[in-house]
Amino acid sequence: MVGHILWLAGISAAMASTEVPTWVLVVAAVSFVVGVAAGLVGWRQWKHRSRTAEIWAVFLWALPVSPVLLSLTVLGVTYL
């Protein structure tokens, strides 16, 4: 939910500016970097093999799904 809200705020700011393509790329890049970072931290948690670590791993893997998919959609609409 937090990732989705932050993504919406970033895209709203990008659409309000005169440099839409540049800011869309910035928001998309940040979304992808945060997605990769959350995936890596989730993978490290998964290796601990405790119940709590597995719950955190699944949460961290699911966290960036919405912002990354929305970024891909906006990139497709903007550049295709």
Side-chain angles (χ1 to χ4, degrees), residues 1-74:
M1 183 77 157
V2 173
H4 183 73
I5 292 170
L6 291 175
W7 183 88
L8 283 174
I11 285 297
S12 296
M15 294 299 183
S17 72
T18 57
E19 298 290 325
V20 173
T22 303
W23 283 107
V24 166
L25 286 176
V26 169
V27 171
V30 169
S31 294
F32 294 134
V33 168
V34 170
V36 168
L40 290 174
V41 172
W43 182 63
R44 286 183 55 199
Q45 287 293 325
W46 184 260
K47 292 189 329 184
H48 289 303
R49 297 287 185 201
S50 70
R51 179 79 172 149
T52 307
E54 288 178 356
I55 291 170
W56 274 108
V58 171
F59 171 75
L60 288 168
W61 287 334
L63 185 67
V65 170
S66 177
V68 170
L69 289 177
L70 291 171
S71 293
L72 288 173
T73 303
V74 169

